[in-house]
């Protein structure tokens, strides 16, 4: 328990709107050790970004509200801190890389200023020193320090994302949350940015939560994976066991949807159906309307998380023995 | 950047030609003869015809306009029919009063309007926001002449605190600048609010918060500068039109500015003064607009890179 760096317990986040309450995150539990990378995988709207923003307490309020739960970072529950204490954690202990580099940088400030700003806030340095360090950070992410005086519109998308990474890493955070850092980039730049992040993460021994919907990225970068569906973690495992034997029907569906290299397929093999409307989640197991193994019980019982291996947990009635799960592939 | 400014200044030439042509045309179409006006009611038709010939008013319109432009290029826009002073001298005599009033009114508008807009936006849907918006709505809806009269009624007639007309002391400036500034305040407040509301939802504001930037700084440094472009545009437009003389306010308070001069000259059909006032207004308006466009470049580097 002692090497546990971050632990999220039973986190609930809702968006309360006039059209109804959007239950974005419903009882998420997560644990992360120092230096580890956790992949948070799920479809758009599954609650990945909301969870991440919740850790930083940056959920737009209104309409968003953290209803319940604990986010414990090194023994302190972040949800009980004052706004001022929280502000000191943001950018310093925990920092975040956002999805869209095109819009994540302030268009009227030079990139140097934007990197220097975070250094000035959290470290005991004067303006000049902060500027110097900002240049070093730029060099670190592979941009010439001489470009510190340039504005975001003078950079390409991939370079902007490097600047965003430089901002996030400027104060050597202990936890880095990367929200689909490569989604907005083209494939060649994706690989570069991932490599860069991996390298820097090792250098600073940073723990990382990598949000993505790309299982390829997960395979390359993560130690552990949490599969998230409709605001719940349906499967949690280390990378080897997840790729070797995915248990949850949803996870299996995700893997099945990836076209194989050595088979000729006419059509892609998607998971049938759509993500449920988050204002109107199905009863019982949230996945049962789309699950090929669902039985009547699935719509009545809320599945509990069950251990199926060392650090491999699944939230499915098949594995708690309530439902037969006839036909499911299981090593 | 220099090239851009030069280009814009050169563009003033066709603008001025267009403005003078339209105004000259309108004046030409208005009934009544300047010669008759100059000579008085008792003049005989022969006398009028002789003076019209002397003034070149019997020539075709296009020739008259040509002569006007030709003289104008030499700096000669004619003399006032009434005072017989060169017209531009008349206008420039009045300009300091107008400038003083415009600056005072805009100062009020900016100092109140921008902070009110920011507060309203950051506290959207709260009581503060609703009250501010209702006040702003009242501000834009109140007719200037009515507001001026009400202020005179309260502060000059009933309370006797402030003078109601003239421009000799700074006390005289208070009521007209409030009258004139109030609607601009309201417009700037509304503009700042809506622009801020849009900006504070942007991703880079979230980035700033995620960096641990204090909320005050997020608003005043990161958001405000991005929200400023439309606000500066409105300020420029307002200031430009105030510089051209606030006709109603100046009339209500007998403020000796360009606006009052123009109204008085129209009433007395002093055509050269009217022409000069309008040309002057057009020039100041264009220059203020240019200044605003240059200001954009300092606010937003993306715009600066376009000014090549």
């Amino acid at each position: 328990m002692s090497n546990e760096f971050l632990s999220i317990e039973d986190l609930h986040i809702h968006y309360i709107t006039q059209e109804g309450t959007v239950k974005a995150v419903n009882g998420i539990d997560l644990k992360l050790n120092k230096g580890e990378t956790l992949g948070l995988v799920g479809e758009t709207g599954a609650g990945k970004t909301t969870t991440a923003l919740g850790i930083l307490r940056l959920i737009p309020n209104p309409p968003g509200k953290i209803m319940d739960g604990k986010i414990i970072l090194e023994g302190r529950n972040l949800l009980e801190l004052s706004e001022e204490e929280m502000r000191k954690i943001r950018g310093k202990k925990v920092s975040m890389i956002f999805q869209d580099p095109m819009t994540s940088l302030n268009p009227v400030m030079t990139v140097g200023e934007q990197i220097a700003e975070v250094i000035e806030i959290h470290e005991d340095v004067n303006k000049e020193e902060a500027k110097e360090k900002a240049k070093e950070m730029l060099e670190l992410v592979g941009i010439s320090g001489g470009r510190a005086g340039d504005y975001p519109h003078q950079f390409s998308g991939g370079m902007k994302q490097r600047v965003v990474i430089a901002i996030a890493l400027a104060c050597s955070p202990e936890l880095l949350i990367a929200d689909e850092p490569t989604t907005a980039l083209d494939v060649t730049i994706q690989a570069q940015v991932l490599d860069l992040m991996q390298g820097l993460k090792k250098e600073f021994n940073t723990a990382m939560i990598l949000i993505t919907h790309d299982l390829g990225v997960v395979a390359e970068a993560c130690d552990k994976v949490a599969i998230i569906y409709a605001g719940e973690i349906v499967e949690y495992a280390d990378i080897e066991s997840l790729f070797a034997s995915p248990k949850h029907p949803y996870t299996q569906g995700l893997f099945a949807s990836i076209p194989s290299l050595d088979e000729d397929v006419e059509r892609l093999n998607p998971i049938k159906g759509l993500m449920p409307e988050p204002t109107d989640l199905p009863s019982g197991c949230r996945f049962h309307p789309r699950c090929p193994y669902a039985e009547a019980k699935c719509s009545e019982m809320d599945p509990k998380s069950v251990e199926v291996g060392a650090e491999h947990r699944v939230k499915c009635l098949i594995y708690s023995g309530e439902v037969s799960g006839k036909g499911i592939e299981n090593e | 950047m220099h090239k851009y400014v030069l280009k814009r200044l050169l563009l003033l030439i066709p603008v001025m030609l267009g403005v003078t042509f339209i105004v000259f045309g309108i004046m030409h179409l208005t009934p009544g003869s300047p010669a008759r006006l100059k000579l008085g009611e008792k003049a005989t038709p022969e006398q009028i015809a002789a003076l019209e010939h002397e003034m070149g008013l019997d020539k075709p319109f296009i020739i008259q306009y040509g002569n006007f432009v030709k003289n104008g290029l030499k700096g000669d826009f004619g003399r006032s029919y009434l005072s017989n002073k060169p017209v531009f001298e008349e206008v420039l005599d009045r300009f300091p009063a107008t400038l003083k009033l415009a600056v005072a009114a805009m100062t009020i508008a900016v100092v109140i309007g921008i902070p009110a807009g920011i507060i309203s936006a950051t506290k959207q849907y709260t009581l503060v926001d609703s009250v501010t918006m209702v006040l702003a709505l009242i501000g834009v809806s109140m007719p200037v002449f009515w507001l001026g009269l009400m202020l005179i009624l309260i502060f000059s007639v009933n309370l006797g605190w402030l003078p109601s007309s003239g421009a000799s002391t700074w006390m005289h400036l208070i009521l007209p600048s409030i009258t004139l500034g109030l609607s601009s305040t309201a417009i700037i407040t509304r503009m700042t609010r809506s622009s801020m509301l849009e900006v504070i939802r942007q991703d880079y504001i979230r980035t700033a918060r995620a960096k641990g930037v204090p909320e005050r700084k997020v608003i005043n440094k990161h958001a405000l500068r991005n929200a400023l472009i439309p606000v500066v545009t409105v300020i420029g437009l307002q200031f430009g039109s105030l510089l051209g003389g606030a006709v109603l306010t100046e009339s209500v308070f007998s403020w000796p500015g360009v606006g009052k001069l123009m109204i008085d000259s129209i009433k007395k059909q002093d055509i050269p003064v009217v022409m000069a006032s309008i040309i002057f207004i057009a020039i100041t308006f264009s220059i203020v607009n240019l200044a605003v466009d240059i200001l954009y470049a300092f606010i937003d580097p993306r715009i600066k890179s376009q000014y090549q």
Side-chain angles (χ1 to χ4, degrees), chain A residues 12 20 23 42 107 147 155 159 205 271 306 316:
Chain A
H12 290 261
K23 292 177 179 165
R147 297 204 61 188
F155 291 88
M159 282 174 110
N205 191 30
I271 300 175
V306 236
C316 175

Side-chain angles (χ1 to χ4, degrees), chain A residues 49-207:
Chain A
T49 303
T50 302
T51 308
L53 288 174
I55 298 172
L56 278 170
R57 275 186 31 198
L58 282 177
I59 304 276
N61 178 18
K65 197 159 183 250
I66 299 177
M67 305 302 286
D68 200 7
K70 286 180 185 162
I71 298 172
I72 295 164
L73 185 78
E74 291 187 316
R76 281 203 296 176
N77 185 355
L78 298 185
L79 298 183
E80 285 166 1
L81 297 184
S82 71
E83 183 52 35
E84 181 60 20
E85 287 170 302
M86 197 59 219
R87 189 179 67 69
K88 286 180 181 147
I89 287 174
R90 292 182 196 130
K92 169 76 185 153
K93 246 187 174 8
V94 184
S95 65
M96 186 155 173
I97 297 171
F98 293 99
Q99 183 171 358
D100 188 354
M102 295 312 196
T103 55
S104 303
L105 292 171
N106 191 329
V108 304
M109 285 168 77
T110 66
V111 298
E113 280 176 278
Q114 296 189 53
I115 302 171
E117 189 180 32
V118 68
I119 300 168
E120 242 178 274
I121 292 169
H122 297 294
E123 284 176 17
D124 190 20
V125 292
N126 64 31
K127 266 200 154 59
E128 282 312 305
E129 289 164 333
K131 257 190 200 161
E132 267 319 298
K133 187 153 181 228
K135 279 185 190 163
E136 284 168 31
M137 286 310 297
L138 271 183
E139 300 272 357
L140 197 68
V141 295
I143 297 173
S144 147
R147 297 204 61 188
D150 284 354
Y151 289 93
H153 72 272
Q154 291 162 297
F155 291 88
S156 68
M159 282 174 110
K160 276 187 209 169
Q161 193 61 307
R162 284 161 189 267
V163 173
V164 172
I165 292 172
I167 292 173
L169 291 175
C171 295
S172 327
E174 290 162 57
L175 172 62
L176 178 66
I177 303 170
D179 185 3
E180 308 201 18
T182 57
T183 305
L185 305 175
D186 61 55
V187 189
T188 46
I189 311 293
Q190 274 186 18
Q192 284 176 23
V193 168
L194 275 183
D195 281 348
L196 175 76
M197 280 175 38
Q198 285 290 89
L200 295 173
K201 187 182 114 38
K202 269 200 196 100
E203 203 176 318
F204 293 107
N205 191 30
T206 311

Side-chain angles (χ1 to χ4, degrees), chain B:
Chain B
M1 186 84 188
H2 296 296
K3 237 184 184 169
Y4 176 77
V5 173
L6 194 71
K7 207 159 75 189
R8 287 288 302 266
L9 285 174
L10 285 176
L11 267 175
L12 275 181
I13 297 169
V15 170
M16 282 306 122
L17 281 175
V19 169
T20 49
F21 186 80
I22 291 168
V23 177
F24 203 87
I26 292 170
M27 284 298 180
H28 191 80
L29 291 174
T30 46
S33 152
R36 176 188 294 277
L37 207 76
K38 233 180 164 177
L39 290 170
E41 289 298 316
K42 286 178 187 145
T44 61
E46 289 77 26
Q47 282 173 310
I48 291 171
L51 187 61
E52 276 186 345
H53 181 72
E54 193 190 316
M55 291 166 81
L57 295 175
D58 52 349
K59 296 208 176 75
F61 169 74
I62 207 72
I63 307 248
Q64 284 188 44
Y65 178 70
N67 286 335
F68 172 80
V69 172
K70 208 164 72 190
N71 291 331
L73 287 176
K74 290 185 229 153
D76 175 15
F77 287 90
R79 286 169 180 270
S80 160
Y81 293 160
L82 298 165
S83 68
N84 212 30
K85 280 204 288 188
V87 285
F88 257 87
E89 213 169 276
E90 288 255 352
V91 176
L92 287 176
D93 275 351
R94 298 295 193 96
F95 185 59
T98 289
L99 182 65
K100 206 153 106 188
L101 185 56
V103 169
M106 276 328 282
T107 309
I108 292 174
V110 170
V111 167
I112 298 174
I114 292 183
I118 295 173
I119 292 168
S120 203
T122 49
K123 304 210 182 304
Q124 194 189 10
Y125 302 138
T126 63
L127 188 66
V128 186
D129 180 34
S130 314
V131 170
T132 313
M133 280 305 99
V134 169
L135 288 179
L137 189 64
I138 295 172
V140 281
S141 318
M142 258 188 309
V144 168
F145 63 89
W146 180 83
L147 176 65
L149 291 175
M150 286 302 120
L151 289 176
I152 289 175
L153 202 62
I154 296 168
F155 292 99
S156 306
V157 179
N158 288 344
L159 295 170
W161 291 351
L162 294 164
S164 66
S165 69
S168 36
T169 65
W170 66 267
M171 297 270 280
H172 289 88
L173 188 59
I174 297 177
L175 291 185
S177 51
I178 291 175
T179 308
L180 198 55
L182 211 65
S183 68
S184 299
T185 309
I187 294 169
I188 291 171
T189 304
R190 292 169 66 93
M191 200 40 144
T192 308
R193 177 179 181 270
S194 67
S195 183
M196 280 296 278
L197 279 178
E198 199 181 311
V199 169
I200 54 182
R201 297 207 180 95
Q202 298 294 317
D203 287 352
Y204 52 81
I205 297 301
R206 192 177 57 184
T207 307
R209 291 202 177 109
K211 277 156 75 173
V213 178
E215 189 60 23
R216 266 184 86 97
K217 242 179 146 184
V218 170
I219 298 300
N220 293 330
K221 189 175 166 193
H222 288 262
L224 184 58
R225 216 176 134 192
N226 280 288
L228 225 43
I229 291 277
V231 178
V232 166
T233 310
V234 168
I235 293 176
L237 285 174
Q238 294 281 315
F239 189 59
S241 58
L242 293 191
L243 274 184
V247 173
L248 287 171
T249 310
E250 289 186 358
S251 299
V252 170
F253 290 94
S254 306
W255 187 265
V258 179
K260 186 153 189 316
L261 173 72
M262 191 164 65
I263 282 294
D264 292 346
S265 310
I266 289 172
K267 279 192 226 154
K268 291 169 189 153
Q269 291 218 19
D270 195 347
I271 291 162
V273 179
V274 177
M275 283 295 293
S277 312
I278 292 172
I279 292 168
F280 181 78
I281 288 168
I283 292 175
T284 42
F285 202 86
S286 307
I287 290 175
V288 170
N289 261 324
L290 175 59
V292 167
D293 284 351
I294 293 170
L295 203 57
Y296 285 168
F298 288 97
I299 296 171
D300 194 331
R302 287 166 298 183
I303 296 178
K304 192 172 191 170
S305 62
Q306 287 166 17
Y307 286 176
Q308 298 304 337

